[in-house]
Amino acid sequence: GQQVMQIPQYQHVQEGEDFTTYCNSSTTLSNIQWYKQRPGGHPVFLIQLVKSGEVKKQKRLTFQFGEAKKNSSLHITATQTTDVGTYFCAEKRDSGGGADGLTFGKGTHLIIQP
Amino acid sequence: DADVTQTPRNRITKTGKRIMLECSQTKGHDRMYWYRQDPGLGLRLIYYSFDVKDINKGEISDGYSVSRQAQAKFSLSLESAIPNQTALYFCATSDLGGSGNYNEQFFGPGTRLTVL
């Protein structure tokens, strides 16, 4: 079945350092979504990438979609304590049979030390 | 988002009991989903629905059932709860994507279920 591999599982950084999480798939992704879940909270949508090689920015967050559409990354510049949480990538389930819903990566927990 | 609500927020039950988790939305979305989250495993899809009375299995539907009697409501049932169904359960909604794109999902606050 579909698998989206996400690394690393945990990342400890000092406040002000950069952070990157990576998402990889063995198959071509139709699109990729990124979500953030704060501790004790629910996943909140950040962005969707659709095009090969696409790069999108949201303030200190940069999202990339690989040229082959098999990988994606989220980079945070100069982390702040408000960035703490778990970041998930997710892809739409196989559309061949009309399936719906998302397949999530296992997430990267970002821990920030002041 | 207050637009998607879940009840109860926390529940402790015993093995063999029947449990129902409720989800309501005011976003007017047709599509609704149930996911479970376990530490280290991310979120996994249990069931989803395109519209009223429409039910589709997700990745891990065994041991669960759902009901979609109204557009705004999607309930998840555990007919006979077992300890490995202890997890955080999320309901989510989305509407139809445009231009071939898949739309974002809006998640409820979650229900923490413990089966003893």
Side-chain angles (χ1 to χ4, degrees):
Chain A
Q2 282 176 282
Q3 273 196 317
V4 178
M5 307 303 294
Q6 191 172 354
I7 57 170
Q9 185 175 2
Y10 292 91
Q11 184 74 57
H12 292 77
V13 301
Q14 295 284 335
E15 188 176 7
E17 291 181 340
D18 292 355
F19 160 78
T20 305
T21 173
Y22 301 90
C23 197
N24 299 290
S25 173
S26 57
T27 58
T28 301
L29 302 166
S30 56
N31 61 34
I32 193 100
Q33 296 183 356
W34 286 92
Y35 289 80
K36 176 184 178 181
Q37 184 178 22
R38 294 182 184 274
H42 59 275
V44 174
F45 176 82
L46 294 176
I47 209 158
Q48 176 170 263
L49 304 173
V50 178
K51 299 177 182 176
S52 168
E54 190 170 16
V55 178
K56 288 188 175 180
K57 293 190 176 184
Q58 291 178 350
K59 297 183 180 179
R60 294 178 294 104
L61 278 62
T62 302
F63 303 84
Q64 294 189 339
F65 203 7
E67 293 289 345
K69 299 182 73 174
K70 289 187 174 182
N71 58 78
S72 182
S73 65
L74 158 59
H75 180 83
I76 303 178
T77 303
T79 55
Q80 301 174 358
T81 54
T82 53
D83 296 325
V84 164
T86 304
Y87 293 84
F88 293 97
C89 61
E91 65 162 325
K92 186 183 182 302
R93 297 175 68 233
D94 287 332
S95 59
D100 196 21
L102 295 170
T103 297
F104 282 82
K106 294 183 179 181
T108 296
H109 301 266
L110 173 59
I111 298 130
I112 297 176
Q113 295 153 345
Chain B
D1 285 292
D3 299 325
V4 184
T5 57
Q6 293 183 232
T7 56
R9 295 294 310 279
N10 289 280
R11 182 70 184 267
I12 299 173
T13 191
K14 294 182 178 179
T15 298
K17 294 291 187 181
R18 184 178 187 275
I19 292 294
M20 180 180 286
L21 309 183
E22 304 274 7
C23 176
S24 294
Q25 53 118 347
T26 58
K27 300 188 78 68
H29 289 168
D30 288 325
R31 301 187 178 204
M32 298 187 74
Y33 311 84
W34 276 104
Y35 294 90
R36 68 175 277 176
Q37 184 175 30
D38 299 275
L41 293 180
L43 289 92
R44 292 179 292 168
L45 182 67
I46 306 173
Y47 271 98
Y48 62 96
S49 169
F50 287 124
D51 205 343
V52 177
K53 302 288 178 71
D54 176 73
I55 301 296
N56 303 280
K57 292 184 177 180
E59 302 170 53
I60 53 164
S61 57
D62 288 349
Y64 301 95
S65 63
V66 291
S67 175
R68 184 90 184 273
Q69 297 296 323
Q71 189 207 36
K73 296 185 183 296
F74 194 33
S75 59
L76 175 71
S77 294
L78 287 68
E79 296 301 326
S80 180
I82 56 177
N84 76 2
Q85 290 178 313
T86 293
L88 185 55
Y89 290 85
F90 286 105
C91 173
T93 74
S94 74
D95 58 9
L96 293 175
S99 303
N101 290 335
Y102 192 62
N103 278 3
E104 68 185 274
Q105 296 196 358
F106 295 85
F107 285 81
T111 295
R112 187 168 296 281
L113 177 65
T114 303
V115 183
L116 302 177

